[in-house]
Amino acid sequence: MASPSQAELAKSLAMAQQELDYRVDLFNRMTSSCFEKCMDRRYKDGELNVGEHSCVDRCCAKYWQVTGIVGQMLGAQGQGM
Amino acid sequence: MEGMENLPEEQRDALLQKIEELQVRDSLRTYNSVVERCFVDCVSSFRSKNLDSTEEKCVSRCCEKFLKHAARVGMRFGEMSSQSEQQMQQMMQQQAQQGR
């Protein structure tokens, strides 16, 4: 099989960059949302207590699931066009 | 990063360069967002130009808390990412086998 053309390589690099941007954005939004949902904003302490730890873990899991559902639905919509 | 081994060297270098740029940009954005968040949460009186000790402590704790929180999210994010990745690979393998 012939080696990929310049155009194909440029395209795969661009895709990789898009993927990276997307993941960074996802992480930042997850961090921000779960901070707002889980943290005691009175800041009595710099440490996270046990409740906050659990909340963060569950928040991340749920956020990830939402990402999956939305991904499926947006994907399905794309195919219906 | 997955799939990077398949790219030729100059593409890999370009990608690594890009990753580093994103890291710098991301650090600067995190800096600004933590400042804003801790300011909004901790500072609410303006009788003086200087932060009082309550506000200072609050800002320190807020910052510490956010960093620890972000570290934990990062851990979970990594776990869930690699789990999804494994599931995808399994699915693709199954599809490939069914296609034979």
Side-chain angles (χ1 to χ4, degrees):
Chain A
M1 193 172 110
S3 55
S5 68
Q6 274 298 95
E8 282 168 358
L9 289 177
K11 191 172 173 191
S12 68
L13 184 62
M15 290 286 284
Q17 286 177 3
Q18 292 271 32
E19 170 84 18
L20 203 49
D21 272 339
Y22 161 76
R23 298 183 114 229
V24 167
D25 191 28
L26 173 59
F27 172 75
N28 284 335
R29 287 171 192 256
M30 188 188 288
T31 304
S32 176
S33 297
C34 291
F35 190 88
E36 268 158 49
K37 298 252 181 210
C38 291
M39 295 296 132
D40 179 2
R41 311 291 267 280
R42 288 167 298 181
Y43 304 119
K44 292 187 178 155
D45 189 5
E47 296 285 341
L48 275 68
N49 63 41
V50 171
E52 286 168 330
H53 272 136
S54 310
C55 180
V56 170
D57 292 344
R58 293 168 194 160
C59 178
C60 292
K62 285 195 167 181
Y63 197 98
W64 196 260
Q65 285 173 33
V66 171
T67 304
I69 294 172
V70 173
Q72 274 179 3
M73 305 205 78
L74 290 180
Q77 249 217 357
Q79 283 166 10
M81 270 165 35
Chain B
M1 203 175 122
E2 341 75 48
M4 251 184 73
E5 329 76 54
N6 300 329
L7 296 174
E9 191 169 332
E10 34 175 71
Q11 297 269 328
R12 243 170 51 197
D13 285 347
L15 194 53
L16 285 171
Q17 168 89 337
K18 183 74 182 178
I19 290 175
E20 194 182 313
E21 277 174 29
L22 285 179
Q23 281 175 340
V24 171
R25 192 186 72 179
D26 199 54
S27 299
L28 294 175
R29 277 196 194 161
T30 302
Y31 181 15
N32 264 340
S33 74
V34 175
V35 167
E36 187 179 26
R37 181 184 301 282
C38 297
F39 178 85
V40 165
D41 285 351
C42 292
V43 178
S44 38
S45 82
F46 299 97
R47 287 166 302 179
S48 159
K49 270 196 302 192
N50 297 313
L51 297 172
D52 63 40
S53 66
T54 313
E55 289 169 328
E56 262 193 49
K57 274 186 222 161
C58 177
V59 168
S60 295
R61 290 177 194 151
C62 165
C63 189
E64 196 186 334
K65 202 151 189 168
F66 185 86
L67 292 175
K68 291 184 173 158
H69 164 76
R72 193 168 184 98
V73 172
M75 204 171 74
R76 298 299 174 215
F77 188 85
E79 286 170 7
M80 295 186 299
S81 279
S82 56
Q83 232 178 33
S84 291
E85 175 99 5
Q86 277 177 357
Q87 282 171 354
M88 279 276 288
Q89 283 177 352
Q90 277 174 359
M91 243 173 56
M92 277 163 50
Q93 276 174 1
Q94 281 173 0
Q95 283 178 353
Q97 283 171 357
Q98 281 167 4
R100 283 195 193 144

